[in-house]
Amino acid sequence: MNATPVTETPAEIKNPEPQRGGGALSFLRAQLQQSLAFATLVVLLIFFSFASNNFFTWSNISGILLSTAVIGILALGTTFVIITGGIDLSIGTGMTLAAVMTGIFLVNLQLPLVVGVLGGIATGALMGFVNGVNIAILKLPPFIATLAMMLIAQGLALVISGVRPIYFSGVTGFKNIALGTLIPGLPNAVLILFVLAIVAYLMLSKTILGRYTFAIGSNEEASRLSGVNTRKWKIMIYTVAGVFTGIAGVVIAARLDSAQPQLGVGYELQAIAAVIIGGTSLLGGRGSIMGTLIGALIMSVLINGLRIMSIQTEWQNVVVGIVILVAVFTDSLRQRRSAS
Amino acid sequence: MPTQLLAVHGISKSFPGVQALKDVQFELNRGEVLALVGENGAGKSSLMKILSGIYTKDAGSISLEGAEVDIDSPKTAQTLGISIIHQEMNLMPHLTIAQNIYIGREPRGGVFLRERALNRKATELLQRLGIALDPREVVGNLTVAKQQMVEIAKALSFDAKVLIMDEPTSALTESETETLFRLIEGLKQRGTGVIYISHRMEELRRIADRVTVLRDGQYIGSLEKHELDITRVIDMMVGRHLEEGARPSSDRHRGDVVLRVQGLSTRHLLDDVSFELRRGEILGFAGLMGAGRTEVARAIIGADPIDSGTVEINGKQVRISQPSDAVRHGVGYLSEDRKLLGLLLEQDVNSNILLASLRDYTDALGFVHTPKGKQKSREYVKSLRIKTPSIAATTKNLSGGNQQKVVIAKWLARDCDILIFDEPTRGIDVGAKEEIYRLLNDLVAQGKSIIMISSELPEVLRLSHRIVVMANGRITGVLENEDASQAKIMDHATRMGVEKEYSSR
Ligand SMILES: Nc1ncnc2c1ncn2[C@@H]1O[C@H](COP(=O)(O)OP(=O)(O)OP(=O)(O)O)[C@@H](O)[C@H]1O
Ligand SMILES: [Mg+2]
């Protein structure tokens, strides 16, 4: 059966090029989208280098990277969730709870370093798992389920720590997790961010979990009818986000050499902003790890640069807010154009 | 000597307020096409959803190749070799064709996907099926018809024993339908049993070996190929005799021009489209899919930007830059893709019907007068014979054809002077079609004007006073009804490429 079907546009049958051209075009467009975010980053870098001599120094750059690490790790995990069309508001305080639990394991219980660190990560994973169950099995809206988890984690972090920071000064080697330099000049926290970004990239674009993340975000019902166990995968995806939250908790604790139970609120919104600036759609089905990484960098370059130019913190927030608006607006413009 | 493949007995299923199926039976043999027909809401899709593991049955038995089976999930159905093409599109628009076809069955090494193997498999499949599509294309960029071909390819990729097709042709052109029929014939040779659901009666004679009729969730009877007679099937479906109406006569009074479109062009497709619509007229738009008929409608109502051209309503030039402007000028548009663009699926029937005309039921303070609106909704439910337990039922739960009727009711309630209907009877049963035809005729008799886009030529001929034929974004002919015939329309519809190269898109 080789009969060529006469589909709607006979011109296309004679010449299948337009289709392939369309594929190449959409690929180009996807590249452009990222390179646009990338271009923004480059422009910011150039601008701040001219605006201040202190900006383009290695110590400042490595400072920027260090401050990107925590938000970046959170953003990586939440990229998965947002691509499914969901949201995770519990990552900020979840990170705090993971840090506090690491403190409990290492300082109060004096467990070995590896066990304590894994315990902290497991705390994050458990919260993600509970989120996933609430959303996939109990069918709670992600916003509600993770908002509740955000409050629960915040409360638990305060209760467990007795509203006092836990200091890791007695735990040898813990601080090095974030501040040591396996690669000379580069803090380990940054190394962790980059390694995790590669892992997340591979998971999202090369594994079955990534494929179903996009599929669920694109059309959950269709995925389910195609025999994809959407409940199971949603639980997995929220758990993955939880693992990233847990790792962020360990990293921030190591960076501050203490678990600060009051910290954490607001981190979730910064992480979500980084994901959105990176071109991931809040409606689901579309997004990339590279974009998220660039988005996170844009945020911290901006904050750092404004600080170096001695602009007040209050105004820094205003600028970041405007950048988010502009980023999302240009993205929706691009989308509208490609849709027609 | 037929061998039995699938036997279904005593199936019942009820939803809150609806008995969708009552003691239904049918049998399917190897290498046979069984056509399942019935009015909108007769229970066809529900029955098929039970077979494919989406709904669980309340009672009854299903046996496959002689052994009773328990189909408890879509996955089980797949493993048993029962594959289905759903009535509503079920694709993931952000994924590619290949990714869609093999979703849930991706070739992989460990946890990693093997994308190249996936694309290779998809290419082979599409070639074997004779479908000219690139597997790496993103599905969301395809037209509805091509998406439908992807769904078909996906269902065929399972090498199923039983293949269910729920209105597969409702979005296809004639030639695509022909491709599909050839595919089905190939499957028959290999011994696959096909269950085929359609409202297009002329298709039955073409491919059905047997026809089983459902009405109101009950089994009415089956006809073998040799005793197949369309009028008899229709009578069995609707339980009464249907009279087919006549074509519109030409000796009627011609009203003034209410809508004049001049030199309409868009960047992508339309090229210098000009026509006029008169009061009390049904203007049919015919053409192949992709000819630009929907684009004309969307350009007029301001859903898409136009490059050049003017629109005059009642002799005055108007600027319409968004659909709400169009509604303000009394132009209503009923879109072809009801699921995406026409309905609030999670809302009840009443809200959907009143959506476009809510203002008529709102007082100066902005309060909505529900009783009056509900009364109106009930009237439309009755006159269009929308099958729903009540106007408070969630629209999502209505059968496909009945959802379409809700969209129609919405625009009728709005009381626009100019109505644009895009494929108004897609997926609607024969009885209800006549009902809708009658309504359209009533509307123009009241002095309204209608543009009707339809891919079904008999329907265009049956309703339109004049017929505009389009090809490749241009108007290639305007025919008076009495001069028009299917052959003439097709002739105009396939005149393309002469003036304009397609590749300049
Ligand atoms: N999930 C559901 N919840 C409630 N009622 C439902 C549901 N699914 C179907 N129904 C009802 O069951 C009846 C049969 O619907 P079904 O979709 O099987 O009809 P159909 O024969 O496929 O019609 P069509 O030709 O319009 O597609 C309808 O009255 C419909 O409203
Ligand atoms: Mg149906």
Side-chain angles (χ1 to χ4, degrees), chain B residues 298-309:
Chain B
R298 290 179 59 91
I300 293 175
I301 62 150
D304 290 336
I306 58 174
D307 268 6
S308 60

Side-chain angles (χ1 to χ4, degrees), chain B residues 19 59 221 306 371 436 485:
Chain B
Q19 177 92 33
I306 58 174
I436 287 170
S485 66

Side-chain angles (χ1 to χ4, degrees), chain A residues 225, chain B residues 11-13 15 19-21 24 26 35-57 62 82-90 164-168 170 195-199 212-218 338-339 387 396-403 427-429:
Chain A
L225 295 183
Chain B
I11 298 277
S12 294
K13 171 80 190 171
F15 297 105
Q19 177 92 33
L21 294 168
V24 170
F26 76 86
L36 191 61
V37 298
E39 286 183 296
N40 295 131
K44 306 178 295 291
S45 298
S46 302
L47 183 57
M48 294 305 115
K49 283 183 182 163
I50 288 173
L51 286 179
S52 54
I54 296 162
Y55 291 164
T56 46
K57 55 186 192 305
I62 303 170
I82 299 176
S83 177
I84 180 164
I85 301 171
H86 290 282
Q87 180 172 11
E88 307 296 340
M89 293 282 178
N90 266 299
I164 300 167
M165 301 190 177
D166 197 349
E167 296 188 38
S170 64
I195 302 174
Y196 188 90
I197 298 177
S198 178
H199 288 296
T212 290
V213 182
L214 296 185
R215 190 200 314 148
D216 291 334
Q218 278 175 307
R338 61 171 176 269
K339 193 168 186 180
K387 200 173 171 213
K396 188 176 66 179
N397 291 338
L398 263 56
S399 82
N402 284 303
Q403 290 181 9
I428 286 195
D429 70 57

